[in-house]
Amino acid sequence: MSQDPTAENETDAEDRNDGDTSGAVAPRPAKHQRRLLLFAIAGTILATDLLTKILAVANIEPGRPVWLIGDLVSLRLVRNPGAAFSMATGMTWLLTLVAVGVVVGVVRIGRTLRSPWWALGLGLVLGGALGNLVDRFFRAPGVMQGHVVDFVSVGWWPVFNVADSAIVCGAILLVVLTLVGLEPDGTRKGEEK
């Protein structure tokens, strides 16, 4: 069976040209660049979250807040068995499964990603989900039941961490992108792909 070396798979051509049909080959496919951006953002958030949690556990005594800005902003160490705002505290294992589902979903969407804005939003959500998953799997009291380390307190807002901030900011960005009709593949809603 012989194969024509000049023939190419339609998907390969699209990846190389990023949908450009002029015949010019892009130096690096946009889809791969967006995926790289997604994982770079997620990795940065994960590393920052892990580092700040390690520092918080090592330097903040439980029950003894460190005041940074008057009585508005402080660092206080809290072990959170629940979700945001300490909801569902008896459902830690379920929250872990939901977070795993979020990670899988983001990675799957990342395969079709061409929009840098979606890469940013999904990268924030992925990095935050992974940061809190590390706590769920490796912190006490045990696997899939670990308590998340929270340490930033601002006014009346519940105590949070870098991962929580990234998830919230990423989710807000994704909602805005959806509302303005920008799709993960870079097209606008109603445009021909």
Side-chain angles (χ1 to χ4, degrees), residues 34-120:
R34 301 309 178 244
R35 226 179 293 157
L36 182 61
L37 179 61
L38 165 77
F39 292 121
I41 291 167
T44 301
I45 294 297
L46 175 60
T48 304
D49 183 62
L50 293 176
L51 178 63
T52 55
K53 286 175 179 174
I54 289 168
L55 291 172
V57 169
N59 296 300
I60 302 171
E61 292 180 43
R64 301 195 72 192
V66 177
W67 293 98
L68 300 177
I69 301 175
D71 59 354
L72 180 66
V73 179
S74 66
L75 301 176
R76 59 181 71 222
L77 189 61
V78 175
R79 309 277 181 154
N80 182 0
F85 315 117
S86 295
M87 293 186 301
T89 55
M91 306 290 262
T92 306
W93 61 273
L94 181 61
L95 297 172
T96 303
L97 293 177
V98 168
V100 168
V102 167
V103 168
V104 170
V106 168
V107 170
R108 287 186 62 124
I109 292 171
R111 297 171 68 197
T112 62
L113 202 57
R114 289 180 188 259
S115 164
W117 291 107
W118 274 86
L120 173 60

Side-chain angles (χ1 to χ4, degrees), residues 4 40-41 45 57 99 102 108 124 126 130 140 143 146-147 158-159 177:
D4 181 5
I41 291 167
I45 294 297
V57 169
V102 167
R108 287 186 62 124
L124 290 168
L126 179 61
L130 287 171
V143 176
H147 294 182
V159 183
L177 293 174

